[in-house]
Amino acid sequence: MIQVEDKRRCCGCEACRQVCPKGCIRMVRDEEGFDYPIVDADRCIECHKCERVCPFMKLDAPREPQAVYAACAIDERLREASSSGGLFTLLAEDTLRRGGVVFGARFDETWSVCHDYTETIEGLAPFRGSKYLQSRIGDSYRQAEQFLKEGRPILFTGTPCQIKGLVHYLGRGYDNLTTVDVVCHGVPSPMVWQKYLTTLRAKQGEIAGITFRDKSVSGWRRYDFVAQMTVHSSGGNVRQFYGDNIYMRGFLHDLYLRPSCYACMAKGGRSHSDLTLGDYWGVERTCPDLDRALDEDKGTSVVMIHSERGRSLLEGLPCRYQKTNYASAVAGNPAIEHTATEPPKRQLFFAQLDAEPLEQLIARLTTIPLHKRLWRQLHHQAHRVKMRLRRLAQRATTLTT
């Protein structure tokens, strides 16, 4: 039976729970807010299926992609509504047009994140956009397997460890399955997220929407965290540059990531996905002609091809793309290969979590020197002015044509 002795060796994908023929594995939340499998030993029949499907039982060799592209949707409205270039939506729409099913992460009624599926284009919107916390897989692997056996095309998206968990759970390849993982910085504690939401509600009122990567004001490179509040809320909507939002600040300092994120065994192509999607940071240096042609700062995706299926899908999408190289993609987005480093203050954070207000605690443990704060604010304001001038110039051009 599976036993988690080292929490760095469990990503919480729930493959073990879903494969158990006796249903004797349940997920239990620990003091940091992460779920881990617990086996009912009295009901266990020692079939070892849980061990065989665990994606962290064995470290696979890394693999470089077959090809790397900078890409974005031709549809500018779709591109603006997406975290980067809109490639997920294009892949999803293609799958649905062929009578398929799309799996992805969405917010639930408590603003936590869970995995779910849709069979309609109208149902794609909740899956679009980044969600910076760990999603609950639930029974998504079982559901995907059932659809696959029915012969329906499946697009399954998730973090590298979730895709690796699915591949291990299925135990065989399917011609009608396309797997897509995202470049992952790490997954923060759902408990910390809920504590943040509690402080947000106390100040602003009830939440009507969350966007981690809003590009409408500050653009793609310097995006905003936005919390939309209900119309009767007294505090009004929240819009903050991502570096100023206290939750994002702790997340980007790696303060409350899952322990396995500090020793990830699924990065670097180890998930065995067909495609990897992420932000192409540095595209203006790698593909300057494409950058200028696309009126950049609306978002460009890095697309890494790992299989012929992935390659053929990209070539059929309504998007602009340019071939580039793996080294430049990693240079701009090191999380493709490299895991986060556990900060020395992580244990102190969780030890003090119930004794100190969350905002105060995160601020204290992630102090940024004054000169860096001033430089960041100056750079941020200059960027906002640049964006406004660009929009005014575009509007003037439109009026004169």
Side-chain angles (χ1 to χ4, degrees):
M1 72 179 72
I2 196 161
Q3 292 180 313
V4 179
E5 297 177 353
D6 180 358
K7 290 184 176 180
R8 294 164 69 95
R9 300 294 296 274
C10 175
C11 64
C13 72
E14 301 191 46
C16 56
R17 180 189 63 78
Q18 293 179 77
V19 81
C20 179
K22 291 297 183 178
C24 64
I25 300 178
R26 59 192 177 95
M27 303 300 290
V28 176
R29 185 151 293 189
D30 74 351
E31 66 281 358
E32 294 182 348
F34 299 107
D35 292 337
Y36 294 91
I38 300 295
V39 182
D40 183 344
D42 293 334
R43 296 167 56 199
C44 178
I45 59 174
E46 296 290 348
C47 65
H48 301 291
K49 288 185 177 180
C50 56
E51 297 169 358
R52 287 196 290 271
V53 302
C54 177
F56 273 31
M57 279 289 184
K58 177 185 175 183
L59 179 62
D60 299 322
R63 57 169 187 161
E64 289 195 7
Q66 297 177 8
V68 179
Y69 294 88
C72 68
I74 293 174
D75 184 339
E76 289 297 309
R77 289 178 299 177
L78 169 59
R79 187 181 175 206
E80 290 173 1
S82 303
S83 292
S84 50
L87 270 293
F88 159 73
T89 300
L90 297 181
L91 289 164
E93 289 177 344
D94 176 75
T95 301
L96 295 171
R97 280 193 291 267
R98 292 184 284 113
V101 184
V102 175
F103 286 79
R106 65 167 178 83
F107 287 112
D108 65 13
E109 63 280 358
T110 68
W111 299 106
S112 294
V113 175
C114 63
H115 251 68
D116 202 351
Y117 68 86
T118 183
E119 301 175 73
T120 67
I121 288 184
E122 294 75 20
L124 281 179
F127 299 140
R128 193 179 294 128
S130 301
K131 288 101 178 167
Y132 293 128
L133 61 154
Q134 184 168 29
S135 68
R136 303 186 311 276
I137 280 289
D139 290 331
S140 293
Y141 294 169
R142 288 177 183 168
Q143 293 164 340
E145 183 179 37
Q146 183 59 43
F147 285 128
L148 288 168
K149 289 179 177 179
E150 293 171 3
R152 299 183 66 180
I154 299 298
L155 177 71
F156 200 106
T157 63
T159 60
C161 59
Q162 289 174 334
I163 297 302
K164 190 174 182 182
L166 172 67
V167 170
H168 281 229
Y169 172 86
L170 294 173
R172 48 156 291 197
Y174 285 88
D175 292 337
N176 50 330
L177 172 65
T178 302
T179 53
V180 178
D181 61 353
V182 295
V183 177
C184 180
H185 178 83
V187 292
S189 165
M191 180 181 70
V192 174
W193 169 245
Q194 287 299 324
K195 283 181 177 290
Y196 169 72
L197 293 184
T198 298
T199 64
L200 190 63
R201 290 188 184 99
K203 292 181 178 180
Q204 308 293 136
E206 285 304 309
I207 299 166
I210 297 285
T211 306
F212 280 101
R213 297 277 302 274
D214 184 272
K215 302 185 288 188
S216 61
V217 174
S218 300
W220 169 55
R221 290 183 177 86
R222 298 183 65 80
Y223 53 87
D224 292 333
F225 172 91
V226 175
Q228 299 163 333
M229 316 310 292
T230 57
V231 291
H232 58 273
S233 296
S234 59
N237 292 345
V238 174
R239 175 181 291 276
Q240 293 176 300
F241 166 58
Y242 74 89
D244 294 331
N245 177 265
I246 199 67
Y247 174 80
M248 291 295 293
R249 181 168 157 182
F251 164 56
L252 293 172
H253 277 78
D254 306 326
L255 197 57
Y256 32 80
L257 302 184
R258 189 180 180 96
S260 61
C261 296
Y262 304 114
C264 182
M265 298 173 67
K267 286 180 180 287
R270 294 183 177 93
S271 71
H272 298 284
S273 64
D274 294 297
L275 292 162
T276 296
L277 300 180
D279 294 285
Y280 207 128
W281 304 124
V283 66
E284 68 279 4
R285 296 185 297 274
T286 305
C287 308
D289 294 336
L290 179 68
D291 182 69
R292 285 190 292 270
L294 293 175
D295 183 24
E296 200 36 66
D297 220 25
K298 292 181 180 177
T300 301
S301 299
V302 60
V303 183
M304 290 181 280
I305 309 293
H306 302 295
S307 70
E308 288 306 313
R309 180 188 294 114
R311 186 189 301 273
S312 64
L313 283 173
L314 175 65
E315 291 173 350
L317 297 180
C319 66
R320 301 180 179 90
Y321 59 90
Q322 179 177 326
K323 192 171 184 179
T324 176
N325 60 79
Y326 183 60
S328 69
V330 174
N333 205 332
I336 292 171
E337 283 190 352
H338 303 293
T339 62
T341 300
E342 182 174 348
K345 296 179 181 179
R346 184 183 185 277
Q347 290 186 356
L348 178 60
F349 169 81
F350 281 105
Q352 291 293 113
L353 186 55
D354 292 327
E356 189 174 345
L358 181 65
E359 291 189 8
Q360 178 179 309
L361 178 61
I362 294 175
R364 180 168 65 85
L365 298 182
T366 61
T367 301
I368 302 172
L370 178 61
H371 71 281
K372 289 188 176 181
R373 294 202 304 272
L374 293 173
W375 172 252
R376 188 176 69 183
Q377 290 173 4
L378 180 63
H379 185 66
H380 183 50
Q381 290 303 319
H383 182 78
R384 282 180 179 265
V385 171
K386 178 181 176 182
M387 290 293 295
R388 291 194 188 100
L389 292 174
R390 176 178 291 182
R391 281 194 290 270
L392 288 171
Q394 289 174 339
R395 193 174 303 160
T397 301
T398 302
L399 290 174
T400 56
T401 56

